[in-house]
């Protein structure tokens, strides 16, 4: 069976809406998802870079993120034909380990715990495909990178792109 590695934030966990709404509340701002096309929040408000990152270290930030539409159904289906691994660069936010693990157990309980990979540099991942919203992870990845659309990566043209989980299904099960 071929292996598919799948990122968490902005691929199966809907990270941007929560991050943005906490930021807007805290700093009395009005940034919309539209404003984030082609850039990250920290690039739009560089003077608040540390504060923007600090939101992510608040207890339980990652615990109640919404599941990205259709990801559960499609991953379940893919798991009948491919070996599925969830690969998250959790080392970027070490305080998130437990929350991320609990979130996966709640929403992706059909996957084996041993297929959850909490890592740092994703070039260590040995898989045939990597579905991720951050193109930087594809640079030293040996398999096929598949860019999952997120506002910040709209202008990236170098990689195969999927806009949603229906398109992921089409790509792998056509
Ligand atoms: Mg991500």
């Amino acid at each position: 069976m071929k292996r598919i590695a799948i990122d968490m934030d902005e691929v199966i966990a809907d990270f941007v809406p929560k991050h943005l709404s906490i930021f807007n509340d805290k700093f009395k701002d009005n940034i919309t998802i539209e404003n984030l096309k082609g850039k990250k929040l920290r690039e739009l408000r560089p003077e608040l870079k540390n504060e923007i990152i600090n939101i992510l270290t608040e207890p339980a930030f990652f615990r109640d993120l919404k599941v990205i539409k259709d990801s559960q159904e499609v991953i379940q289906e893919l798991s009948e034909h491919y070996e599925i691994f969830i690969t998250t660069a959790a080392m970027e936010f070490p305080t998130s380990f437990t929350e991320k693990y609990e979130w996966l157990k709640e929403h992706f309980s059909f996957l084996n715990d041993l297929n959850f990979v909490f890592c740092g540099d994703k070039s260590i991942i040995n898989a045939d495909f990597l579905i991720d919203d951050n193109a930087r992870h594809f640079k030293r990845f040996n398999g096929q990178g598949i860019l999952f659309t997120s506002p910040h990566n709209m202008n990236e043209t170098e990689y195969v792109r999927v806009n949603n989980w229906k398109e992921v299904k089409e790509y792998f099960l056509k």
Side-chain angles (χ1 to χ4, degrees):
M1 266 195 196
K2 290 204 165 171
R3 288 178 162 177
I4 308 175
I6 302 170
D7 177 37
M8 281 181 82
D9 297 318
E10 294 171 78
V11 175
I12 60 173
D14 204 0
F15 169 97
V16 173
K18 182 174 178 185
H19 194 205
L20 200 51
S21 91
I22 294 177
F23 175 84
N24 281 334
D25 281 353
K26 240 186 175 143
F27 299 100
K28 310 277 172 273
D29 211 330
N30 270 314
I31 296 175
T32 63
I33 291 195
E34 278 296 302
N35 301 143
L36 290 176
K37 295 239 159 102
K39 42 176 97 69
K40 296 202 169 183
L41 185 52
R42 68 189 79 150
E43 293 162 348
L44 208 61
R45 292 286 181 272
E47 70 283 9
L48 291 170
K49 183 171 186 256
N50 291 336
E51 289 81 353
I52 287 165
I53 292 167
N54 282 342
I55 293 173
L56 307 178
T57 62
E58 286 174 9
F61 177 87
F62 292 91
R63 183 62 188 88
D64 63 353
L65 296 183
K66 296 226 161 58
V67 180
I68 298 237
K69 193 171 180 291
D70 302 323
S71 60
Q72 288 156 305
E73 298 80 350
V74 173
I75 290 174
Q76 182 134 39
E77 222 181 316
L78 288 178
S79 71
E80 291 163 24
H81 308 272
Y82 295 87
E83 234 185 317
I84 303 293
F85 290 85
I86 304 297
T87 56
T88 175
M91 277 315 296
E92 288 171 4
F93 301 103
T95 51
S96 70
F97 291 171
T98 304
E99 298 156 28
K100 281 178 170 255
Y101 174 70
E102 287 173 358
W103 189 92
L104 285 168
K105 291 302 283 179
E106 180 181 349
H107 300 292
F108 291 84
S109 55
F110 55 91
L111 295 173
N112 191 309
D113 280 21
L114 300 182
N115 290 38
F116 300 154
V117 182
F118 286 26
C119 63
D121 184 337
K122 291 192 187 180
S123 68
I124 193 70
I125 304 290
N126 179 16
D128 299 284
F129 304 93
L130 171 61
I131 306 174
D132 208 297
D133 64 293
N134 273 307
R136 68 184 158 89
H137 293 303
F138 302 149
K139 295 252 147 62
R140 297 197 298 138
F141 175 68
N142 284 328
Q144 169 75 54
I146 297 174
L147 190 68
F148 195 92
T149 294
S150 171
H152 73 85
N153 70 27
M154 297 302 274
N155 302 327
E156 181 66 62
T157 54
E158 217 182 300
Y159 300 96
V160 175
R161 177 185 289 276
V162 287
N163 291 303
N164 52 54
W165 277 93
K166 291 252 189 301
E167 290 187 16
V168 175
K169 179 175 165 171
E170 227 162 85
Y171 182 91
F172 286 102
L173 296 176
K174 65 188 170 230

